[in-house]
């Protein structure tokens, strides 16, 4: 295909990453999809092993793609995990895992591909944020914190590399129906019945799971990412997902903070 790009998609074994790799490959791009496991299934793209929390793994993966294809035109930093649990119950090591995956993972990939992108004076980096990176979600505080951090990192990086012809964008999906429901990582303390948060946490996370199961198809996110990679959609931040959730997040900018907080607490049945 004319304009075919070499695209590295992290976390292509499941959910949004898989849908994105599928759509990009169907449009004729040369896709390298990653998983921590070796070739986790038949796919119309090349698999590469990658653990984004491991610097050596990132370096080896990027070197492998460059050796095979000679260039990397775009990276979709999709790999991520959703961490559940009360902030007080979460240990620093558990918190670190959320940030190592969702923030430093994306940063590692960016640092690894940027020298090549700067040299070729072109490239696109798409970071997978979340609406939870716009609104602090109770009992998913470490997930929200990591996605808020990714927003700031993306916005700063986009400005730093623009002069080199590199585009950086963040995509923030709302609830999307993917296997994330089964892949949620828990702060162990919040599953201990002795935790003062255990009951509320279980109840609120069950609400999240219900919304995720009924979420939008992953292909909607994949279509948006593909349009960014192909230069058909421009801009640093993109929101995608169920209308009600997009309105809720947008209202944050106009509704007074106290009222927004009150509404959230009422919705989740929290507070006194
Ligand atoms: N689903 C939603 O409602 C939703 C909403 C907003 C944002 N998001 C974001 O969208 C992205 C994808 O989520 P999803 O719903 O598609 O989840 P998913 O089905 O659980 O897929 C997660 C992917 O990330 C990979 N991964 C996890 N840890 C990794 C690590 N340390 N190194 C490399 N790869 C790793 C997994 O690959 P392996 O296990 O094969 O290594 C898997 O392919 C995440 O960043 C998530 O935060 C999802």
């Amino acid at each position: 295909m004319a304009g075919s790009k070499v695209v590295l998609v992290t976390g292509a074994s499941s959910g949004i990453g898989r849908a994105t790799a599928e759509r990009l490959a169907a449009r004729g791009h040369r896709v390298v999809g990653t998983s921590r496991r070796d070739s986790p299934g038949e796919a119309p793209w090349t698999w590469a092993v990658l653990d984004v929390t491991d610097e050596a793994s990132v370096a080896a993966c990027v070197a492998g793609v460059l050796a095979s294809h000679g260039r990397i035109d775009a990276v979709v930093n999709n790999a991520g995990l959703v961490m559940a649990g009360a902030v007080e119950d979460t240990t620093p090591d558990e918190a670190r895992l959320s940030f190592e995956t969702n923030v430093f993972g994306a940063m590692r990939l960016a640092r690894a591909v940027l020298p090549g992108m700067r040299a070729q004076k072109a490239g696109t980096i798409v970071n997978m944020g979340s609406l939870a990176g716009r609104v602090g979600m109770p009992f998913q505080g470490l997930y929200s914190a990591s996605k808020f951090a990714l927003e700031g990192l993306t916005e700063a990086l986009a400005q730093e590399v623009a002069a080199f012809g590199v585009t950086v964008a963040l995509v923030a999906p709302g609830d999307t129906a993917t296997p994330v429901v089964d892949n949620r990582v828990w702060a162990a303390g919040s599953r201990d019945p002795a935790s003062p948060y255990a009951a509320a946490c279980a109840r609120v996370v069950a609400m999240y799971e219900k919304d995720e199961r009924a979420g939008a198809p992953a292909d909607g996110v994949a279509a948006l990412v593909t349009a960014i990679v192909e230069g058909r959609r421009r801009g640093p931040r993109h929101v995608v997902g169920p209308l009600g959730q997009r309105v809720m997040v947008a209202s944050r900018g106009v509704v007074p903070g106290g009222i927004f907080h009150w509404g959230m607490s009422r919705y989740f049945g929290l507070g006194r």
Side-chain angles (χ1 to χ4, degrees), residues 10-18 34-37 40 47 50-54 77-82 97 100-102 128-132 143 147 150 171-181 183-184 212 215 218 221:
T10 71
S13 62
S14 178
I16 292 171
R18 173 172 279 277
T34 80
S35 167
R36 285 166 293 181
R37 289 162 289 147
W47 283 110
L50 173 68
D51 182 342
V52 299
T53 67
D54 179 343
N77 276 317
N78 163 79
L81 64 78
V82 178
L97 177 64
E100 281 293 348
T101 310
N102 297 347
M128 196 58 66
S130 169
L131 293 190
Y143 178 63
K147 294 295 185 180
L150 187 61
V171 168
D175 283 319
T176 311
T178 72
V180 76
V181 184
N183 295 339
R184 193 172 250 99
E212 284 158 5
V221 186

Side-chain angles (χ1 to χ4, degrees), residues 3-24:
S4 163
K5 291 175 187 287
V6 177
V7 189
L8 177 59
V9 180
T10 71
S13 62
S14 178
I16 292 171
R18 173 172 279 277
T20 301
E22 257 163 24
R23 186 173 266 264
L24 286 163

Side-chain angles (χ1 to χ4, degrees), residues 7-212:
V7 189
L8 177 59
V9 180
T10 71
S13 62
S14 178
I16 292 171
R18 173 172 279 277
T20 301
E22 257 163 24
R23 186 173 266 264
L24 286 163
R27 287 183 62 81
H29 298 294
R30 287 173 286 162
V31 176
V32 180
T34 80
S35 167
R36 285 166 293 181
R37 289 162 289 147
D38 192 15
S39 305
E42 282 292 306
W45 57 81
T46 315
W47 283 110
V49 175
L50 173 68
D51 182 342
V52 299
T53 67
D54 179 343
E55 191 82 24
S57 174
V58 171
C61 175
V62 169
V65 181
L66 290 173
S68 309
H69 296 284
R71 59 189 288 124
I72 297 176
D73 296 301
V75 171
V76 182
N77 276 317
N78 163 79
L81 64 78
V82 178
M83 180 165 285
V87 172
E88 186 183 342
D89 284 337
T90 307
T91 66
D93 278 345
E94 288 168 334
R96 229 170 262 128
L97 177 64
S98 180
F99 274 72
E100 281 293 348
T101 310
N102 297 347
V103 185
F104 301 132
M107 182 180 162
R108 278 189 193 95
L109 259 298
R111 294 188 73 238
V113 300
L114 274 168
M117 289 183 172
R118 283 189 291 99
Q120 69 202 19
K121 296 187 172 52
T124 304
I125 297 173
V126 181
N127 289 339
M128 196 58 66
S130 169
L131 293 190
R134 305 280 170 91
V135 174
M137 305 306 291
F139 303 117
Q140 285 198 161
L142 269 301
Y143 178 63
S144 269
S146 70
K147 294 295 185 180
F148 268 75
L150 187 61
E151 290 242 358
L153 189 86
T154 306
E155 203 167 304
L157 180 64
Q159 296 171 76
E160 292 170 6
V161 299
F164 299 101
V166 179
T167 300
V168 185
L170 182 125
V171 168
D175 283 319
T176 311
T178 72
V180 76
V181 184
D182 306 311
N183 295 339
R184 193 172 250 99
V185 175
W186 279 77
S190 282
R191 295 197 115 170
D192 181 344
S195 163
Y197 302 102
C201 182
R203 182 176 55 72
V204 171
V205 172
M207 291 170 76
Y208 295 150
E209 289 178 349
K210 187 166 169 246
D211 287 345
E212 284 158 5

